[in-house]
């Protein structure tokens, strides 16, 4: 695990990857095992339909809430999933460059014959791998749970929704990485990335309720993640490509800035 | 002879903080060059430019005739670096760290093990648990283990006990004999005198002078105070070679001597000396 920067980064994050992956499996299991109770609760759909629109935006679409896909869309992909993946990716992204620089280990790493861009890309690659571990964990949890609870779950819908969640995690993580590489300051990086995450989430949820502001939802990364309700409707390729472009743009910009600036001593 | 490090009007300004100003240096292949100056004079700034950690405001630096910015990776392939306070991944054991760095250099641990044994370093302990001196030893081993053509050592003996400092000086001399080029920064004249061939003196960001160590020693002033049994006068010593600032009052005599003190000792021997 000490062959290169990519493996070393995974090695350092080993414990947190394991815990978050277990958490993702548990989340999948918990929600799927809970689903039959909701499905069998009579009158729930009627109740949900009577809720104010703002509350519905938080809970999820009332019409589909009692279907397996609709329930998971509301429970896993509207709040818990993005939170787990977002927190994990942002913390990982903060540590990539800013973390090493603040703990004064970056100098010694860079005294070796390795370019700054190579370090950045290897560390970004490690993040892609670790968020993938969470995604696989969530998939196993959802698939396993639905089998245990004895209901059918759309494999394509689940896989696409997890892929979208994966991309959301990568996007938030790469934004954190980019701010960290550009500034070298971990606290600032965490603050900015978390603000983008939290404000993005709130904006997306609440702008969708106010008809007048609905067109403004495009400023939030969450809009591209699941405004299409991927679990039910599949991936929207424009949204999908938008998240990929934001992630790629963040890496390119951070490499450009990181190559040009002085390292903190 | 080829210059291993060459700087042309190298300048780095930090706004309020002082950097370096128009530094022109030429370090030749195979020499041990000392950069001497007080803390904050700009020694580390020079070194950080050579390693491309920071970029010059103006002027340029070349190492092995390659630009410090454009060819940084190729340069670092041939350079070993040890800072005064070696800080690295605390959770790794010394062996794991050396393995990691050796992998990044596509090298091996043969020389590292020899050096670890020589400096009596336990490789199995975590770096975070090591004392400052032992941590510095790990730094020393990683700097020398790839057998680099150029060693850049920034205040390398800080935190080492005197015995270890001596061992380190011997290592530097050996490496130099093996044809390596060494760039050593220090704030201690005594250290530079022991290991270096040439010395540059840096003060407030400017290179004041570059001299052979022998010449520097020649010009260094030694303060001498002698107590005599009989009364002496200043005139007895003013003509002695290298002696200046003579003050004589009855039995006590003080002066400064540049270069060798031999003539002064011989002149003093004409009287009965109580104490030097």
């Amino acid at each position: 695990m000490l062959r290169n920067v990519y493996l070393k980064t995974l090695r350092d994050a080993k414990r947190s990857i394991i815990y978050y992956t277990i958490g993702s499996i548990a989340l999948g299991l918990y929600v799927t095992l809970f689903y039959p109770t909701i499905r069998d609760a009579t009158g729930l759909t009627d109740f949900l339909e009577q809720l104010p629109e703002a509350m519905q935006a938080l809970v999820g679409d009332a019409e589909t809430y009692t279907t397996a896909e609709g329930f998971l869309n509301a429970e896993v992909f509207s709040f818990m999933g993005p939170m787990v993946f977002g927190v994990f990716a942002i913390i990982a992204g903060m540590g990539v460059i800013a973390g090493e620089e603040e703990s004064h280990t970056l100098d010694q790493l860079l005294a070796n014959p390795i370019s700054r861009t190579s370090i950045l890309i290897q560390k970004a690659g490690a993040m892609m791998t670790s968020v993938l571990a969470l995604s696989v964990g969530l998939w196993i949890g959802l698939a396993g749970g639905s089998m245990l609870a004895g209901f059918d779950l759309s494999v394509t819908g689940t896989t696409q929704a997890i892929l979208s969640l994966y991309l959301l995690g990568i996007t938030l993580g790469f934004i954190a990485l980019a701010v960290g590489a550009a500034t070298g300051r971990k606290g600032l990086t965490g603050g900015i990335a978390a603000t983008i995450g939290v404000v993005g989430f709130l904006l997306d949820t609440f702008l969708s309720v106010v008809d007048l502001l609905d067109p403004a939802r495009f400023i939030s990364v969450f809009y591209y993640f699941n405004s299409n309700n991927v679990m039910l409707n599949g991936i929207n390729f424009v949204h999908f490509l938008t998240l990929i472009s934001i992630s790629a743009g963040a890496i390119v910009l951070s490499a450009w800035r990181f190559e040009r600036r002085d390292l903190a001593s | 002879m080829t210059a291993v490090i060459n700087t042309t009007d190298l300048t780095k300004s930090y706004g309020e903080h002082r950097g370096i100003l128009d530094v022109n240096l030429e370090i030749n292949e195979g020499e041990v060059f000392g950069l001497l100056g007080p803390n904050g004079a700009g020694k580390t700034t020079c070194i950080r430019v050579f390693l491309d950690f920071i970029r010059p405001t103006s002027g340029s630096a070349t190492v092995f005739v390659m630009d410090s910015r454009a060819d940084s990776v190729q340069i670092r392939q041939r350079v070993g670096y040890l800072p005064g306070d070696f800080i690295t991944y605390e959770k790794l054991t010394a062996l794991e760290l050396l393995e990691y760095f050796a992998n990044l250099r596509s090298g091996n641990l043969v020389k590292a093990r020899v050096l670890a044994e020589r400096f009596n370093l336990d490789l199995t302990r975590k770096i975070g648990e090591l004392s400052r001196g032992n941590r510095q030893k790990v730094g020393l081993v990683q700097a020398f283990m790839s057998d680099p053509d150029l060693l850049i050592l920034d205040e390398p003996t800080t935190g080492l006990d005197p015995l270890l400092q001596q061992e380190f000086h011997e290592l530097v001399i050996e490496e130099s004999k093996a044809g390596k080029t060494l760039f050593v920064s220090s704030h201690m004249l005594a250290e530079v005198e022991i290991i270096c061939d040439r010395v540059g003196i840096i003060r407030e960001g400017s290179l004041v002078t570059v001299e052979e160590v022998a010449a520097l020693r020649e010009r260094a002033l030694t303060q001498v105070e002698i107590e005599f049994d009989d009364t002496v006068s200043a005139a007895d010593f003013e003509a002695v070679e290298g002696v200046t600032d003579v003050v004589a009052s009855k039995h006590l005599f003080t002066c400064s001597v540049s270069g060798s003190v031999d003539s002064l000792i011989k002149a003093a021997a004409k009287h009965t000396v109580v104490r030097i």
Side-chain angles (χ1 to χ4, degrees):
Chain A
M1 291 299 271
L2 292 166
R3 291 214 62 79
N4 50 43
V5 175
Y6 167 77
L7 289 173
K8 161 79 164 54
T9 308
L10 285 178
R11 182 188 194 272
D12 290 344
K14 193 171 56 190
R15 214 168 275 174
S16 116
I17 294 171
I18 290 172
Y19 292 156
Y20 273 85
T21 303
I22 292 174
S24 302
I25 296 174
L27 173 66
L29 281 175
Y30 170 76
V31 175
T32 40
L33 293 178
F34 192 66
Y35 169 65
T37 321
I38 297 295
R39 182 189 54 198
D40 303 336
T42 48
L44 186 63
T45 314
D46 297 340
F47 168 71
L48 288 172
E49 275 174 353
Q50 284 162 20
L51 285 177
E53 207 185 340
M55 287 299 289
Q56 277 192 31
L58 278 175
V59 178
D61 190 5
E63 277 169 37
T64 58
Y65 192 74
T66 49
T67 69
E69 285 76 17
F71 179 72
L72 294 185
N73 181 53
E75 292 304 321
V76 178
F77 296 100
S78 296
F79 181 66
M80 282 303 286
M83 193 182 75
V84 173
F85 278 54
V87 168
F88 174 82
I90 289 173
I91 291 174
M94 279 160 65
V96 169
I97 301 297
E100 284 231 17
E101 196 161 359
E102 280 198 356
S103 52
H104 305 288
T105 54
L106 192 58
D107 267 22
Q108 211 60 51
L109 176 61
L110 270 170
N112 292 295
I114 180 166
S115 73
R116 296 186 188 188
T117 301
S118 168
I119 289 179
L120 193 72
I121 288 173
Q122 292 193 53
K123 286 186 174 257
M127 184 198 284
M128 290 175 72
T129 307
S130 47
V131 179
L132 184 65
L134 270 64
S135 307
V136 171
L138 183 58
W139 198 93
I140 291 172
L142 290 175
S146 64
M147 275 162 68
L148 288 173
F151 65 89
D152 286 330
L153 193 58
S154 155
V155 175
T156 355
T158 307
T159 308
Q160 290 194 25
I162 290 179
L163 184 61
S164 193
L165 181 60
Y166 173 76
L167 265 185
L168 175 77
I170 294 297
T171 306
L172 290 172
F174 280 11
I175 289 172
L177 185 156
V179 180
T183 63
R185 288 162 61 193
K186 201 173 166 183
L188 181 74
T189 303
I192 291 178
T195 304
I196 290 175
V198 173
V199 173
F201 173 75
L202 294 176
L203 276 179
D204 187 57
T205 308
F206 289 108
L207 293 184
S208 66
V209 181
V210 186
D211 290 340
L212 188 68
L213 296 176
D214 196 68
R217 286 173 72 191
F218 74 90
I219 60 167
S220 162
V221 285
F222 283 83
Y223 173 71
Y224 304 100
F225 153 58
N226 201 31
S227 64
N228 199 41
N229 295 319
V230 182
M231 190 86 192
L232 296 159
N233 308 319
I235 277 174
N236 174 323
F237 280 95
V238 174
H239 292 177
F240 190 74
L241 290 176
T242 307
L243 285 183
I244 292 179
S245 310
I246 296 173
S247 306
I251 290 294
V252 171
L253 270 177
S254 65
W256 179 79
R257 179 70 196 128
F258 186 43
E259 278 290 349
R260 270 155 193 79
R261 73 177 173 90
D262 289 348
L263 301 183
S265 53
Chain B
M1 203 181 283
T2 358
V4 170
I5 300 178
N6 203 330
T7 70
T8 314
D9 297 332
L10 189 64
T11 300
K12 177 73 192 175
S13 20
Y14 284 114
E16 291 168 36
H17 300 283
R18 194 189 305 117
I20 50 172
L21 183 68
D22 293 333
V23 170
N24 289 290
L25 266 178
E26 197 177 304
I27 287 84
N28 299 315
E29 195 179 333
E31 77 172 331
V32 183
F33 186 90
L35 190 61
L36 185 69
N39 292 330
K43 304 187 292 287
T44 302
T45 302
C46 287
I47 286 174
R48 289 174 65 80
V49 170
F50 300 158
L51 292 162
D52 197 38
F53 296 163
I54 57 175
R55 279 63 191 269
T57 310
S58 63
S60 65
T62 63
V63 182
F64 299 116
V65 210
M66 291 184 280
D67 183 67
S68 69
R69 286 211 55 181
D71 307 311
S72 171
V73 174
Q74 290 95 305
I75 289 173
R76 283 180 274 137
Q77 183 72 50
R78 298 174 63 185
V79 174
Y81 164 63
L82 173 62
D85 194 3
F86 180 70
I87 301 175
T88 188
Y89 308 107
E90 298 201 329
K91 287 179 183 162
L92 296 184
T93 66
L95 185 63
E96 286 169 340
L97 179 85
L98 297 174
E99 206 184 307
Y100 182 39
F101 283 0
N103 284 333
L104 295 180
R105 288 181 174 273
S106 323
N108 58 52
L109 292 179
V110 177
K111 190 169 179 183
R113 289 186 191 280
V114 175
L115 285 168
E117 196 154 318
R118 172 169 176 180
F119 284 92
N120 200 14
L121 173 66
D122 180 3
L123 291 176
T124 61
R125 291 191 49 196
K126 284 199 171 159
I127 289 166
E129 294 166 0
L130 296 176
S131 67
R132 171 117 196 251
N134 278 323
R135 196 151 42 85
Q136 200 64 12
K137 285 187 201 171
V138 180
L140 191 149
V141 172
Q142 63 82 34
F144 286 83
M145 71 177 180
S146 65
D147 224 9
D149 298 323
L150 169 65
L151 283 139
I152 295 182
L153 313 170
D154 190 5
E155 304 260 1
T157 55
T158 330
L160 294 186
D161 63 53
L163 217 63
L164 222 56
Q165 284 187 17
Q166 204 183 331
E167 185 75 32
F168 172 76
H169 294 155
E170 279 167 24
L171 178 66
V172 167
I173 291 161
E174 280 169 34
E175 293 286 324
S176 167
K177 278 184 185 154
K180 305 294 164 58
T181 308
L182 291 99
F183 183 96
V184 187
S185 87
S186 179
H187 63 273
M188 291 182 295
L189 177 64
E191 176 169 84
V192 167
E193 274 188 343
I194 296 170
I195 57 177
C196 298
D197 305 317
R198 250 177 358 127
V199 178
I201 295 175
I202 190 165
R203 194 184 301 142
E204 298 187 357
S206 296
L207 194 64
V208 183
T209 177
V210 177
E211 281 196 73
E212 303 276 329
V213 165
L216 199 72
R217 200 180 283 138
E218 193 70 24
R219 290 202 305 112
L221 293 182
T222 315
Q223 296 294 320
V224 181
E225 186 183 283
I226 308 175
E227 193 183 326
F228 293 101
D229 196 35
D230 50 348
T231 308
V232 292
S233 74
D236 297 345
F237 294 95
E238 267 165 354
V240 176
E241 191 191 333
V243 171
T244 48
D245 309 329
V246 177
V247 179
S249 68
K250 294 184 182 171
H251 303 288
L252 204 64
F253 164 86
T254 62
C255 72
S256 304
V257 187
S258 66
S260 165
V261 293
D262 187 59
S263 309
L264 174 67
I265 297 294
K266 282 178 176 149
K270 289 172 189 155
H271 304 267
T272 309
V273 177
V274 177
R275 182 179 64 82
I276 292 186

